[in-house]
Amino acid sequence: MRFPTSFRHSIKVPWTGNTYSDSFINLLSAELTILKGKNIVIEGHVVTFTGGIFRPVWSTNLLVPISTGKVEIINYSDYSKIIYEIKFSQIIIVNIILSILSIVFGLCKQNIESTIIILLVVWILLFGFNVTVAIITFNRFIKDISKN
């Protein structure tokens, strides 16, 4: 199993014509702008954006743990499929740096047990929790937009 640096998912929605795709893309772009997403690019039925932790936003902002994202809508004869992929590279880099620092400080103090505990906390809380919350809330975010 690969290390989870990204998450890809699709949502099937009823299709009501070509205007659905256009309105979904426009609404998604507007919502990403409200969330202070950067580099929002619309190319046909695909929206790409940048989020991340290095932006002046509150830590509760949906895009904080998401480094980059891509959302695509594909129309079929009787439904549309929204496919999205979100990547978590910035939060992984921060966790690696914090892990290296905790190992260095732990070895300097010759306290392996607390170093292992700190590493577990760093990876479980900072990475695992943030990524899990981002996956759940981004999925809800896409579903909410698709209902409008």
Side-chain angles (χ1 to χ4, degrees):
M1 184 177 169
R2 281 183 5 168
F3 190 75
T5 58
S6 66
F7 178 76
R8 184 177 170 96
H9 187 66
S10 63
I11 300 170
K12 190 175 172 181
V13 293
W15 189 64
T16 57
N18 194 31
T19 56
Y20 175 79
S21 299
D22 297 336
S23 63
F24 172 81
I25 293 294
N26 292 333
L27 184 57
L28 175 63
S29 175
E31 291 293 326
L32 290 170
T33 302
I34 291 169
L35 291 170
K36 297 188 180 176
K38 294 183 176 179
N39 305 322
I40 300 169
V41 177
I42 301 172
E43 293 178 350
H45 293 266
V46 178
V47 176
T48 56
F49 63 91
T50 303
I53 57 178
F54 303 114
R55 297 176 303 127
V57 295
W58 292 101
S59 62
T60 56
N61 184 291
L62 171 65
L63 302 180
V64 167
I66 300 170
S67 302
T68 60
K70 176 181 177 183
V71 181
E72 178 179 10
I73 184 164
I74 301 171
N75 294 320
Y76 294 99
S77 60
D78 56 344
Y79 67 94
S80 293
K81 186 183 238 183
I82 301 168
I83 303 167
Y84 66 87
E85 181 175 14
I86 49 179
K87 297 185 179 188
F88 309 104
S89 53
Q90 286 181 1
I91 201 161
I92 290 172
I93 292 168
V94 168
N95 279 350
I96 290 171
I97 290 169
L98 290 175
S99 297
I100 291 170
L101 290 174
S102 65
I103 289 170
V104 168
F105 289 127
L107 293 177
C108 288
K109 292 185 174 189
Q110 297 179 345
N111 192 345
I112 300 300
E113 294 84 16
S114 58
T115 302
I116 291 171
I117 290 170
I118 290 171
L119 285 173
L120 287 173
V121 168
V122 164
W123 282 99
I124 291 171
L125 287 181
L126 290 181
F127 181 75
F129 180 73
N130 280 311
V131 168
T132 302
V133 169
I135 289 170
I136 292 167
T137 54
F138 194 80
N139 189 54
R140 189 176 321 129
F141 172 72
I142 294 295
K143 284 182 178 178
D144 288 346
I145 293 173
S146 69
K147 290 177 185 174
N148 291 331

